[in-house]
Amino acid sequence: MEDAVVSAATGAMGPVMGKLVALLGDEYRRLRSIHTEIKSLTRELETIDAFLENMAETEDPNPQDKAWMKEVRELSYDVEDNLDEFMARVIADKSSKPDGLVDNIKSKLKRLKARHEIAKAIEDLKKQAIEVSQRNKRYRDHAMSNTSRSPKIVDPRALAIFEDVSKLVGVDVPKKELLQRLADDQQQTKLVAIVGFGGLGKTTIANQVYQELKGQFQYRAFLSVSRNPDIVNVMSNIYGQLNHGYSGGGTENLQTLLAKILEFLQNKRYLIVVDDIWKVDDWNAIKCAFPRTSPGSKIITTTRINDVAESCCSSFSGHIYNLRPLNMLQSRQLLYTRLFNSEEKCPLDLKETADQILQKCDGVPLAIVAISGVLAHKASKKDKWNQVKDSIGRALRNSSVEAMVNIIALSYLDLPRHLRTCLLYLSIFPEDHIIEKENLIKRWIGEGFICKESSHTMYELGEIYFNDLINRSLIQPTGIGGKCSEVKSCRVHDTVHDFIVSKAVDENFVTVIGVPAGVNHDPQMKVRRLSLQNNGEIPACLIVSNARSLHVFGRNAKIPSVSQFGLLRVMDFEDCWQLKDYDLAGIGNLLHLKYLRLKHTGALKALPEEVARLQELQIDIDGSVYEMEFPEAFQRLVCNVALHLNGGRKVPDEIASVQGLRVLEGLSVYLQSVEFLKGLGLLKNLRRLGIVLIYYHCGRGWEANLKQAQSSVCELGKAGLECLHLYIDEEAVEILEMDSWFSVPPYALRELVIEGKSVTRVPTWMASLVNLEKLHLRIYKMPEEEVKILGGLPSLRHLCIEWADFDYDDMFDDPPMEVVEAAVRKAMEDHPNRPTLVWTTEWDPLPSFLQLRS
């Protein structure tokens, strides 16, 4: 699985050797004169690759080995760059059709030149590889003496394990104390500042208090600030959570936003959590948005710096709460719950070693959870646990932070090679950034970190990798999609983030600009992956022409010219309101580009026509399409296009002509033209659709829109639609008659979510959904025969029922909720797949596909 992927340990060695083998095939038969050189280079690189793979298991390589490992990784990237350039030319030559004798001669001369160049390049690369090897002859001894580890088995129960960790330890007392302090004096705004070093659980405690109180407040927000914040973006996010009608414009300055929030909150009770504040100046700006005399309002801040906590409290006459580490009893409870579900299930011969490990963790929850992630993948044998204990270090009790970093390093070394690569890649994201799972996996695929297997698609493998990192507590789930509890996003704890950024920069895996000490200014080092953050700007001394990916975050980063990057595989712009049309000029020349995402890039008015040249490109556009023009060439695209809308505006009609469209979410039916909705049904490649069906008395032929949307969804169902999300209100339910939605059942459907107002019954056509794996229904009655429909879905794995317990007179003859719930649970227990069941009476005011992108 790992042989043909790019990795942090071996660079591009896997793909390079695969491409060298391809050059020996019939497709490149004109290179027979250099077959011997190609074979020789392949053998040399195979030996180097074996050394790299074994050295990657060494906990602390000596400086000479580290320098050589970096050198050969850089060599592998250079080799692949040369091969990719040559192969792209060959493909371009094959697709071109010379017109006339002169053009034919020119074409042949071009091919001859290309063959000569690749022959010389391979000869040079072979010499370079031999020189590198000769300077480090002893690598052969290392390769023989270092033994490789046994492969890891991926645990697919990521969410179940996360739920166990969520049964938090040591939370009750601080939560109770914080609630008491916030309850004092309802006549003015109350503030509590939680202070403690990293990993103690400040964010966890603050979130627990927030969850306890949020039902009492109509106006509430929870935001992380982090070490290097874009304060305008922070305030924009706060305003968006408080005022759901605010979508953000990208052009407002800080003073305008502060004034808007202050005015909006006047005479309102509010609950605000401002997490992870590092600087007094940042708090001094943020606090200006919150009225000080709002009776009953509450603010919670978290920080690891006492001066910041004191500043917070002085602003609102608040209290400082010093968070304490766990005691030994609590530490045991957390470790044993994580590993065995209870202390009683821990083997007796392991308890002494467990106590010795916990002493080194010093009561820090993050350290305990991280070490449990290592122990969970070891056999429950005392010698294995003793090895882990000895690996943590012997002189760490005086520094909890040092102990924690040491444990994170141990957790990193315990990862299989592919997971190390995927974890290090998270260093491209700013601190405290919410990372969307789907976007992350697409980046991994575009970078070449995942190799397709016969039993899984690349995306499915990416989900396994993502879940495994959650299993090991190296990333923290943050977004739960809908009530079916699927993890949709994650974040990286500050301490883990510091570790992976340091590691990634040291190995030249990632170059970060816009954060202190982030960028490597060594003019000899070529940038491989570039992350621009805050007000970052590329220094003139950096060599960026070999960069494989470009990631730009925030409205203050200086947008570089695309023409500088000829070898990009991945390009991502997020919250870049400064991105203009001309910044994408030359994108058609990026022949290796696999994935492009544009999220919140509102100033971009049109996609360049040249993007149509990139037939293998996957494009995600998120919340930025309303004013955007889609050229005719783009509409003919056969590549994979995904559009994520926010449900509140009309979209350009030409979107219904984009034949490469695979994903369309957040579409408000009542805002669109009937012509657009007709075109929607012709998008035969569409695989995921999320639409909002809410009735508005606007005199625009609402029923015609609704009927046309239904007809188009039926056509898409016949064409292979795999995922359908419907958000419906009562009027739409009455007009559409859900039972007759599909004349031909959508047999390919794998996921169906019906949210909003309740449907009256389980539609009969649902019994034909033989491929349905995930079902989410909001419903208020369910006779026995409909329970049988759910129990008879052969592929079902996840079921979520939102029960609307309405007290209608005409429902007295229907079974009560308790009876229906028991019947559904019994049906799921008897089902061969034993699907997970979530039964809830809660109701979300927004569709799940919109909540995740707020």
Side-chain angles (χ1 to χ4, degrees):
M1 179 173 66
E2 297 179 352
D3 291 343
V5 298
V6 178
S7 80
T10 62
M13 283 293 182
V16 160
M17 287 185 283
K19 289 169 184 177
L20 286 172
V21 170
L23 289 181
L24 298 173
D26 289 341
E27 190 175 356
Y28 302 97
R29 54 185 175 276
R30 293 187 178 88
L31 297 178
R32 282 176 184 159
S33 59
I34 58 167
H35 274 195
T36 302
E37 296 295 315
I38 293 173
K39 290 176 182 177
S40 177
L41 174 60
T42 302
R43 286 194 298 271
E44 194 67 36
L45 293 179
E46 283 173 348
T47 310
I48 293 173
D49 183 58
F51 166 78
L52 281 176
E53 200 169 326
N54 283 281
M55 283 303 297
E57 312 308 321
T58 305
E59 185 169 345
D60 188 20
N62 65 50
Q64 185 176 351
D65 283 338
K66 284 178 71 175
W68 190 71
M69 290 164 70
K70 184 184 287 188
E71 188 176 0
V72 294
R73 276 196 299 265
E74 293 297 307
L75 171 65
S76 75
Y77 287 127
D78 289 339
V79 173
E80 189 180 32
D81 291 346
N82 277 277
L83 293 176
D84 283 347
E85 249 183 278
F86 171 72
M87 289 176 163
R89 276 197 236 170
V90 169
I91 292 170
D93 287 344
K94 283 184 177 178
S95 61
S96 66
K97 296 178 180 177
D99 185 15
L101 180 62
V102 174
D103 286 343
N104 195 33
I105 292 172
K106 284 182 180 178
S107 177
K108 287 183 177 179
L109 288 173
K110 268 188 183 177
R111 289 198 292 271
L112 186 64
K113 183 182 177 184
R115 288 201 300 274
H116 175 74
E117 287 176 356
I118 192 63
K120 186 175 186 309
I122 286 174
E123 186 179 346
D124 291 345
L125 290 167
K126 181 193 167 189
K127 286 179 183 176
Q128 191 178 348
I130 292 172
E131 286 172 11
V132 167
S133 297
Q134 288 175 343
R135 288 200 304 272
N136 298 273
K137 287 182 180 178
R138 62 195 185 87
Y139 77 83
R140 300 180 197 279
D141 297 329
H142 281 293
M144 295 297 293
S145 63
N146 283 283
T147 57
S148 60
R149 300 176 301 171
S150 58
K152 301 289 178 186
I153 298 173
V154 175
D155 181 357
R157 299 168 300 167
L159 187 57
I161 292 177
F162 169 62
E163 285 171 346
D164 288 339
V165 179
S166 296
K167 296 169 184 173
L168 300 165
V169 173
V171 167
D172 293 342
V173 171
K175 177 181 172 182
K176 181 179 178 182
E177 292 174 349
L178 285 164
L179 287 170
Q180 286 174 346
R181 295 190 183 189
L182 287 167
D184 296 341
D185 189 359
Q186 295 295 309
Q187 299 307 308
Q188 61 179 359
T189 303
K190 297 296 299 181
L191 182 144
V192 173
I194 305 172
V195 65
F197 58 80
L200 268 186
K202 299 183 296 297
T203 301
T204 301
I205 298 291
N207 185 52
Q208 286 297 300
V209 176
Y210 179 77
Q211 296 301 326
E212 178 81 13
L213 294 175
K214 70 178 186 179
Q216 304 171 25
F217 294 85
Q218 182 179 354
Y219 305 101
R220 57 184 185 261
F222 191 117
L223 240 293
S224 289
V225 178
S226 79
R227 195 169 351 196
N228 301 289
D230 177 347
I231 294 295
V232 172
N233 196 44
V234 169
M235 301 315 298
S236 180
N237 283 333
I238 288 178
Y239 193 27
Q241 290 186 48
L242 293 169
N243 178 6
H244 295 299
Y246 175 75
S247 59
T251 57
E252 291 170 311
N253 59 35
L254 180 59
Q255 289 73 22
T256 302
L257 275 170
L258 292 173
K260 281 187 174 182
I261 298 171
L262 187 63
E263 181 182 4
F264 181 80
L265 289 177
Q266 288 297 334
N267 303 315
K268 294 182 176 77
R269 290 178 71 251
Y270 60 85
L271 171 65
I272 306 284
V273 176
V274 187
D275 180 45
D276 198 24
I277 310 171
W278 283 75
K279 302 184 189 77
V280 171
D281 287 347
D282 292 340
W283 170 249
N284 285 339
I286 293 168
K287 71 181 182 183
C288 297
F290 308 138
R292 289 166 172 74
T293 57
S294 296
S297 293
K298 305 183 192 305
I299 301 173
I300 303 168
T301 65
T302 75
T303 181
R304 54 180 77 183
I305 300 163
N306 281 313
D307 288 349
V308 173
E310 290 171 3
S311 176
C312 292
C313 290
S314 65
S315 305
F316 287 85
S317 300
H319 301 280
I320 290 178
Y321 186 85
N322 289 287
L323 194 58
R324 299 174 292 276
L326 302 178
N327 59 37
M328 181 55 84
L329 186 65
Q330 293 168 330
S331 297
R332 287 193 194 111
Q333 186 182 351
L334 178 58
L335 181 70
Y336 294 145
T337 300
R338 178 70 171 89
L339 292 173
F340 307 109
N341 292 323
S342 70
E343 184 171 356
E344 292 72 28
K345 294 182 180 179
C346 175
L348 288 174
D349 64 324
L350 296 180
K351 289 193 173 183
E352 182 182 354
T353 306
D355 275 0
Q356 293 170 343
I357 290 172
L358 288 172
Q359 285 172 359
K360 295 185 177 186
C361 293
D362 210 18
V364 180
L366 177 64
I368 297 169
V369 171
I371 205 67
S372 71
V374 176
L375 294 171
H377 290 79
K378 306 291 182 187
S380 293
K381 294 182 179 178
K382 191 171 182 179
D383 60 331
K384 298 288 185 183
W385 280 42
N386 278 323
Q387 288 175 11
V388 173
K389 178 197 70 177
D390 295 337
S391 298
I392 297 174
R394 305 179 187 280
L396 298 174
R397 293 187 193 173
N398 294 329
S399 172
S400 297
V401 175
E402 190 179 349
M404 186 165 54
V405 172
N406 191 276
I407 289 167
I408 291 169
L410 177 62
S411 300
Y412 173 77
L413 285 169
D414 190 61
L415 293 173
R417 183 171 43 147
H418 64 276
L419 286 186
R420 289 190 205 175
T421 304
C422 292
L423 180 65
L424 274 196
Y425 191 70
L426 301 184
S427 61
I428 66 172
F429 295 99
E431 186 179 5
D432 286 329
H433 193 77
I434 300 301
I435 303 165
E436 295 171 16
K437 178 181 75 172
E438 183 178 330
N439 169 244
L440 176 62
I441 293 172
K442 288 177 179 179
R443 295 196 210 209
W444 284 344
I445 293 170
E447 293 274 6
F449 298 159
I450 301 175
C451 185
K452 187 176 181 180
E453 285 185 343
S454 58
S455 56
H456 296 286
T457 66
M458 286 195 284
Y459 189 86
E460 288 169 343
L461 277 176
E463 287 190 296
I464 292 172
Y465 295 176
F466 182 88
N467 291 342
D468 207 355
L469 290 174
I470 291 175
N471 284 349
R472 297 166 183 267
S473 303
L474 289 167
I475 60 176
Q476 303 170 336
T478 57
I480 307 299
K483 296 297 189 309
C484 287
S485 301
E486 180 186 355
V487 177
K488 294 288 190 179
S489 62
C490 71
R491 69 181 289 274
V492 183
H493 190 280
D494 296 352
T495 309
V496 178
H497 189 263
D498 287 345
F499 172 83
I500 62 175
V501 168
S502 173
K503 188 90 174 164
V505 170
D506 183 58
E507 296 184 1
N508 199 39
F509 185 71
V510 168
T511 300
V512 184
I513 299 177
V515 298
V519 64
N520 185 343
H521 287 287
D522 184 352
Q524 300 302 315
M525 299 302 294
K526 299 173 182 176
V527 172
R528 300 302 178 184
R529 295 166 192 88
L530 180 61
S531 176
L532 280 173
Q533 304 171 19
N534 299 313
N535 59 348
E537 184 174 6
I538 300 175
C541 62
L542 275 191
I543 306 170
V544 299
S545 56
N546 295 86
R548 306 165 79 84
S549 62
L550 172 66
H551 315 268
V552 187
F553 300 92
R555 69 193 74 203
N556 295 321
K558 305 299 185 293
I559 304 294
S561 169
V562 166
S563 60
Q564 298 179 70
F565 303 88
L567 298 170
L568 286 182
R569 274 78 171 164
V570 173
M571 187 158 58
D572 195 298
F573 296 94
E574 182 168 340
D575 293 326
C576 293
W577 299 90
Q578 72 278 34
L579 183 71
K580 301 293 193 300
D581 297 6
Y582 55 76
D583 290 320
L584 295 182
I587 192 173
N589 297 322
L590 304 182
L591 301 180
H592 311 294
L593 193 64
K594 297 291 188 291
Y595 180 56
L596 168 67
R597 185 178 74 141
L598 304 167
K599 180 175 182 180
H600 299 157
T601 54
L604 191 67
K605 299 304 180 186
L607 284 174
E609 289 205 14
E610 56 185 304
V611 78
R613 298 182 207 161
L614 308 176
Q615 294 298 303
E616 294 184 12
L617 179 62
Q618 183 167 357
I619 304 173
D620 280 10
I621 304 176
D622 195 337
S624 304
V625 303
Y626 302 107
E627 307 297 333
M628 192 179 291
E629 296 177 9
F630 293 86
E632 187 178 344
F634 181 84
Q635 296 171 38
R636 295 195 304 271
L637 275 176
V638 297
C639 65
N640 192 332
V641 180
L643 300 179
H644 305 279
L645 318 174
N646 67 11
R649 297 170 70 180
K650 186 181 186 300
V651 297
D653 282 349
E654 56 263 34
I655 285 179
S657 303
V658 179
Q659 291 305 307
L661 196 62
R662 297 294 183 92
V663 177
L664 179 60
E665 289 187 325
L667 183 73
S668 286
V669 166
Y670 89 96
L671 288 171
Q672 315 309 323
S673 66
V674 173
E675 290 70 25
F676 173 90
L677 296 172
K678 283 180 181 176
L680 185 65
L682 301 176
L683 297 175
K684 302 304 182 185
N685 293 311
L686 196 67
R687 292 296 174 261
R688 191 162 89 214
L689 175 65
I691 56 178
V692 180
L693 302 163
I694 299 179
Y695 178 70
Y696 284 86
H697 297 277
C698 51
R700 292 189 59 256
W702 158 248
E703 285 197 34
N705 276 35
L706 206 56
K707 293 289 187 182
Q708 184 57 59
Q710 178 184 355
S711 173
S712 291
V713 171
C714 290
E715 291 302 312
L716 293 171
K718 297 175 189 176
L721 189 69
E722 296 177 356
C723 177
L724 177 62
H725 284 214
L726 301 173
Y727 189 83
I728 301 179
D729 69 359
E730 289 173 341
E731 289 82 358
V733 170
E734 291 175 8
I735 294 170
L736 290 173
E737 298 179 358
M738 188 61 66
D739 204 35
S740 60
W741 251 69
F742 292 98
S743 55
V744 177
Y747 295 110
L749 213 59
R750 297 173 60 187
E751 180 175 337
L752 175 62
V753 177
I754 303 177
E755 300 176 282
K757 298 300 180 181
S758 306
V759 295
T760 55
R761 58 172 301 164
V762 176
T764 53
W765 48 262
M766 201 174 285
S768 302
L769 303 184
V770 294
N771 293 303
L772 194 69
E773 298 174 4
K774 186 182 299 182
L775 174 62
H776 178 157
L777 281 178
R778 180 165 171 80
I779 198 164
Y780 64 79
K781 60 180 178 179
M782 194 184 301
E784 183 180 350
E785 60 270 20
E786 294 178 12
V787 175
K788 289 179 181 178
I789 290 177
L790 300 183
L793 295 170
S795 301
L796 191 65
R797 298 196 177 275
H798 306 282
L799 173 64
C800 175
I801 300 294
E802 286 186 61
W803 187 265
D805 196 11
F806 298 132
D807 188 18
Y808 288 158
D809 292 337
D810 62 347
M811 290 174 55
F812 286 140
D813 294 334
D814 295 317
M817 183 188 76
E818 293 78 10
V819 173
V820 177
E821 182 180 358
V824 173
R825 290 194 182 279
K826 179 69 166 58
M828 295 304 103
E829 288 169 5
D830 294 342
H831 195 290
N833 299 336
R834 299 296 296 271
T836 59
L837 172 64
V838 176
W839 187 284
T840 178
T841 56
E842 296 180 6
W843 176 63
D844 282 327
L846 287 174
S848 56
F849 54 78
L850 297 186
Q851 293 173 23
L852 294 170
R853 302 189 178 274
S854 60

